[in-house]
Amino acid sequence: MRGLTRRIDSPAAQELSRLGAEMVVGDFEDVVSLTRAAQGMDTIFAMTTFVEGGPEAETRHGVNIVDAAEAAGVEHFIYSSVSDADRNTGIHHFESKFEVEKHIQERGIPSTIVAPVFLMENLLGPWHLPALQQGSFALPMPPGRNLQHVALEDAAAFEVLVVENRERFLGKRVNIASDELTGAEVAAVLSRITSREIRFDEVSIDPIREASEDTALMYEWFVRVGYSADISALRRDFPEVGWHTFEKWAGSQDWSILGKRSR
C-alpha cells in the first residue's frame, strides 16, 4: 500500500507510515510527481477537495490525478465524488467533482465512482458543534425536510469493498448513504443519546449566503431536490458494509464535547 503526501514529516503521513503504508511525496499540481507515485500500482483511490483552492483547483487536481493514473497504467481508478453530482445541481463544489468524473469517462480508464452524501461527522465539526453545545441543531431547512446522511465508517467500508472487488464495481457510479431523516428527527435522536435537550432550529439562509454563496446553493438544493441514494438497495446489496442508522452512529460518539447535561 502506498500513500501520497505533500509533507513526508507531517503527523498524518508519519501515522500512515507507522501503520505500514509506503509514503511518497507528490503534489496535485505536479502531474510528474503524481505519475511517479502511481507507478506499479494496480489500484488508486483518489479524493479531491475545494476547501483550499476552490472548485477550479479541485477540478484541475482531479484531472491531474486521472492523467497520472492513465500514464501509469493503473487497472482500477476509484474516485470519491459526491452523491448526485451528475444531476446538474448548480452547486459549484458538486460540479467541480463532476468535471473530474467526465474527464475519467473521456479518458476511458477503468474506474468506479463512489459518491457519498452529507457526512454524519459534519455534526462534530465547526459548522454544527458550537450550536449543538448551545442545545440547537440548526439548518436552513424546514424541520420536516429529509436529508440523507452517511457515516464516515460506512463510506470507508464501502470503498474498501470496491478496492477488493474490482470486477463487481468496474464502470459503476454508486451514490452511498447510511440513513435518511429530518432535522427534527436528528435533534430528537441527539436528545435521547446525549441526555440533553437538543432542539431543531430552522435558521435563515442569508448569513450562510454572506459567508459562502456555494454553501447556500447547496442547502437550497437540499430543500428543493435533495440526495437520491437508494438506501434500501445499498443495505440489501452490500450488507457487509454494516450500514449505520443515525441513532447507531450517534450512540457510538463521545458527546462529552457538548459539556454538562442540561436535564
Side-chain angles (χ1 to χ4, degrees), residues 143-189:
R145 182 66 171 101
N146 279 325
L147 179 64
Q148 293 185 339
H149 298 70
V150 65
L152 185 59
E153 183 178 339
D154 294 350
F158 188 83
E159 287 151 359
V160 169
L161 189 66
V162 173
V163 170
E164 294 177 343
N165 295 269
R166 176 182 182 273
E167 296 302 325
R168 184 180 182 185
F169 292 98
L170 203 58
K172 293 184 177 180
R173 185 187 195 283
V174 187
N175 294 326
I176 60 169
S178 305
D179 202 356
E180 181 174 8
L181 63 172
T182 68
E185 289 170 336
V186 168
V189 169

Side-chain angles (χ1 to χ4, degrees), residues 16-248:
L16 287 171
S17 180
R18 186 188 69 80
L19 292 171
E22 174 197 355
M23 300 305 297
V24 296
V25 175
D27 191 311
F28 285 175
E29 296 284 3
D30 181 0
V31 179
V32 173
S33 74
L34 297 176
T35 304
R36 183 169 55 245
Q39 291 294 336
M41 296 291 99
D42 57 11
T43 302
I44 285 181
F45 170 78
M47 180 173 65
T48 54
T49 179
F50 68 99
V51 173
E52 289 189 7
E56 290 184 1
E58 176 172 33
T59 296
R60 184 172 65 252
H61 294 167
V63 166
N64 286 345
I65 300 167
V66 172
D67 291 348
E70 181 182 25
V74 170
E75 297 176 3
H76 192 191
F77 185 81
I78 304 166
Y79 180 60
S80 180
S81 183
V82 63
S83 181
D84 299 277
D86 57 343
R87 294 175 63 197
N88 193 29
T89 65
I91 305 164
H92 303 317
H93 69 279
F94 283 34
E95 299 289 346
S96 57
K97 293 177 177 63
F98 187 53
E99 289 299 316
V100 178
E101 292 187 40
K102 289 192 289 186
H103 188 67
I104 292 169
Q105 297 304 315
E106 289 168 1
R107 301 312 304 166
I109 65 174
S111 63
T112 302
I113 308 298
V114 180
V117 299
F118 189 89
L119 285 173
M120 294 180 187
E121 280 75 9
N122 285 338
L123 272 65
L124 304 175
W127 307 278
H128 293 285
L129 186 56
L132 287 173
Q133 289 170 329
Q134 299 302 313
S136 171
F137 177 55
L139 288 176
M141 298 174 62
R145 182 66 171 101
N146 279 325
L147 179 64
Q148 293 185 339
H149 298 70
V150 65
L152 185 59
E153 183 178 339
D154 294 350
F158 188 83
E159 287 151 359
V160 169
L161 189 66
V162 173
V163 170
E164 294 177 343
N165 295 269
R166 176 182 182 273
E167 296 302 325
R168 184 180 182 185
F169 292 98
L170 203 58
K172 293 184 177 180
R173 185 187 195 283
V174 187
N175 294 326
I176 60 169
S178 305
D179 202 356
E180 181 174 8
L181 63 172
T182 68
E185 289 170 336
V186 168
V189 169
L190 293 177
S191 294
R192 289 196 302 273
I193 294 295
T194 65
S195 297
R196 291 171 54 98
E197 192 67 46
I198 305 290
R199 67 186 182 276
F200 175 77
D201 288 322
E202 180 181 356
V203 296
S204 170
I205 194 76
D206 294 338
I208 295 172
R209 193 182 309 281
E210 289 178 9
S212 170
E213 173 68 21
D214 202 38
T215 301
L217 288 172
M218 179 183 70
Y219 279 113
E220 289 171 338
W221 182 81
F222 285 165
V223 173
R224 189 178 69 254
V225 182
Y227 294 120
S228 66
D230 190 337
I231 295 173
S232 296
L234 289 166
R235 290 180 175 274
R236 180 194 67 228
D237 296 340
F238 311 110
E240 55 268 69
V241 170
W243 303 97
H244 287 69
T245 62
F246 181 79
E247 185 150 8
K248 179 182 176 183

